[in-house]
Structures are given as C-alpha cells and as structure tokens.
Amino acid sequence: MSFQKINNQPQVIEALKRAIEKGRLPHALLFQGPVGCGQLEAAAELAKVIFCENKKALESCDVCYHCRQVSQNTHPDFSLLEPG
C-alpha cells in the first residue's frame, strides 16, 4: 500500500508527508476516528515509509523486511493499541 491508496484523509496524508520531508515528525502520533476512516492504514503506511529500506519519493516498497514486519504487525518499533 502507499499513501496514494488512502483516499479518506487527504489533509492528514499531506501533513504527514510534509512532516517527513522536513524531518519534523513528532515522537508519537495518535490516529483516531470512526471505523473505516483509514487511521490504521495511514499509521501502517507511515511506519513503512519511515522504516523502509527501499523507499522512493515517500512511498514504501511493501516487500523489504521492515515493510513486511509492519504489515504483519511484528515490527519491534511499531505498536498498535486498539480498544479491547
């Protein structure tokens, strides 16, 4: 997946891209909203872009070790907290 496939929150995606480009990402982010608004996809794609070994133009490759770990929710530096 890439940021281009997340259509529900264009303003949020643009803000994340600008923060990455400027090197100004906060130390933590909270993605919240109604079910189906794309918060899980946006969080996972952001993690992939940050950790990806083969990223190009703010897009993850989805095939490297880190991208696969984020997709499988097994990356040691990416945690999802969901209501139980």
Side-chain angles (χ1 to χ4, degrees):
M1 178 180 285
S2 70
F3 280 132
Q4 295 174 355
K5 294 180 182 177
I6 302 170
N7 298 321
N8 300 345
Q9 302 291 330
Q11 295 170 328
V12 172
I13 298 305
E14 286 305 312
L16 290 173
K17 284 181 174 182
R18 281 193 309 273
I20 293 168
E21 288 173 339
K22 292 179 180 181
R24 305 272 307 175
L25 272 174
H27 72 279
L29 292 166
L30 176 62
F31 291 82
Q32 68 169 12
V35 174
C37 74
Q39 67 267 32
L40 176 61
E41 292 84 2
E45 188 55 34
L46 175 62
K48 287 180 190 178
V49 168
I50 292 169
F51 300 129
C52 184
E53 298 170 343
N54 305 313
K55 66 182 163 218
K56 293 180 183 161
L58 297 178
E59 297 295 330
S60 63
C61 71
D62 278 333
V63 295
C64 72
Y65 180 70
H66 293 289
C67 285
R68 289 193 321 264
Q69 277 190 313
V70 170
S71 293
Q72 297 166 358
N73 200 20
T74 59
H75 197 284
D77 295 323
F78 178 67
S79 299
L80 291 175
L81 302 176
E82 300 180 77

